[in-house]
Amino acid sequence: MQIVVAQDILKANDQIAQRNLERLDAAGVYCINVLGSPGAGKTTLLEALAPHLSGQLRFAVIEGDPATTRDADRIEALGVPNVQINTGGGCHLDANMVVSALDNLKLESLDLLFIENVGNLICPSGYRLGERLRAVILSVAEGDDKVAKYPPMFQRVDALVVNKLDLLPYLEYDLGKVKSDVKRVAPDVHMMTLSAKTGEGVANLADWIVGKRQEYLHVRGS
Ligand SMILES: Nc1nc2c(ncn2[C@@H]2O[C@H](COP(=O)(O)OP(=O)(O)OP(=O)(O)O)[C@@H](O)[C@H]2O)c(=O)[nH]1
Ligand SMILES: [Mg+2]
């Protein structure tokens, strides 16, 4: 019985997510759902990407957190349009929360929208929000066993960004093991490594995002 209820909730969420996606498509906005553990570096990465993207694409950020406006304040400081969603302690965003956030953005003046999800490697992965692309940020500080231990997250994303490469010399972290886990658990995921702190690899990610948006426009025929 409980499983049936859970399925109904997910089905209802998917329907709202589909409407969000159609709304974003109508405005030509490519949406990326940014997932990952608390502290993986999601906001830091958005801050690092901003200067690389700002000359090329008009973008905004929806920030999802259980409490506080701290991440939205960091995005605001960059002069980037943003909306904070507080989940009231909830461990993930859902499509309905995103509806009201979209109401607060001028979608026609955007090319790209990032949604930073609540930090969590399990709960957010089952909830679509209206995104075209899902990226999970995994920092080397979390240990090299996370892909093997939390497979659903990695199987439900398009991209895996391994962050905090600058910390590698101080940790026992086997990047080769992570790559082989990805190959086994989620072979279709596009994997990138970078340091949001030093900026190493961030330009490559920005170029990749710009390319993905171009593909999206091409497929839509605009
Ligand atoms: N050394 C190092 N620290 C980093 C890097 N990226 C982020 N950090 C640090 O990691 C901490 C958490 O970064 P955030 O960007 O706030 O992490 P987050 O994933 O947005 O966290 P939540 O929103 O709480 O889920 C901060 O102290 C950052 O300065 C990195 O590439 N290298
Ligand atoms: Mg954050």
Side-chain angles (χ1 to χ4, degrees):
M1 191 61 159
Q2 279 180 342
I3 293 171
V4 173
V5 171
Q7 281 175 345
D8 283 350
I9 290 169
L10 284 175
K11 200 171 160 198
N13 182 77
D14 278 353
Q15 286 168 354
I16 301 169
Q18 180 61 29
R19 288 203 290 275
N20 287 344
L21 185 137
E22 285 164 13
R23 188 172 168 190
L24 289 161
D25 276 355
V29 181
Y30 186 65
C31 180
I32 303 179
N33 187 354
V34 181
L35 304 133
S37 305
K42 299 179 292 298
T43 312
T44 309
L45 184 55
L46 293 175
E47 290 172 316
L49 280 169
H52 293 279
L53 294 174
S54 56
Q56 310 183 66
L57 296 172
R58 302 165 301 168
F59 66 97
V61 178
I62 295 174
E63 281 291 350
D65 277 302
T68 87
T69 61
R70 288 185 189 183
D71 285 0
D73 293 344
R74 288 165 66 183
I75 302 299
E76 178 73 22
L78 303 171
V80 172
N82 62 87
V83 180
Q84 178 81 52
I85 301 174
N86 284 140
T87 61
C91 61
H92 62 87
L93 293 177
D94 65 38
N96 203 35
M97 296 173 188
V98 172
V99 173
S100 35
L102 294 180
D103 289 341
N104 286 287
L105 289 168
K106 291 194 182 97
L107 297 182
E108 294 69 26
S109 57
L110 296 176
D111 304 309
L112 177 66
L113 173 65
F114 292 103
I115 304 178
E116 180 182 334
N117 218 310
V118 175
N120 190 305
L121 267 189
I122 299 174
C123 309
S125 73
Y127 289 81
R128 299 211 75 90
L129 305 176
E131 69 273 26
R132 282 280 169 193
L133 189 116
R134 304 178 121 204
V136 61
I137 318 302
L138 185 65
S139 73
V140 297
E142 293 164 60
D144 57 17
D145 57 358
K146 294 300 169 288
V147 174
K149 288 174 75 175
Y150 297 82
M153 172 60 83
F154 300 93
Q155 288 161 346
R156 291 172 182 164
V157 297
D158 305 288
L160 162 61
V161 176
V162 178
N163 184 31
K164 308 197 187 182
L165 266 198
D166 58 294
L167 296 181
L168 267 188
Y170 313 104
L171 300 167
E172 281 181 28
Y173 189 91
D174 184 346
L175 200 52
K177 187 169 135 191
V178 176
K179 283 180 183 167
S180 70
D181 283 345
V182 170
K183 210 170 166 186
R184 184 173 51 82
V185 167
D188 297 331
V189 165
H190 180 73
M191 180 171 163
M192 285 164 279
T193 56
L194 53 76
S195 167
K197 197 69 141 186
T198 67
E200 179 191 354
V202 176
N204 284 345
L205 174 60
D207 288 347
W208 187 77
I209 290 170
V210 171
K212 292 304 274 184
R213 184 175 177 275
Q214 275 165 354
E215 273 175 32
Y216 160 75
L217 292 180
H218 185 67
V219 170
R220 287 179 64 238
S222 50

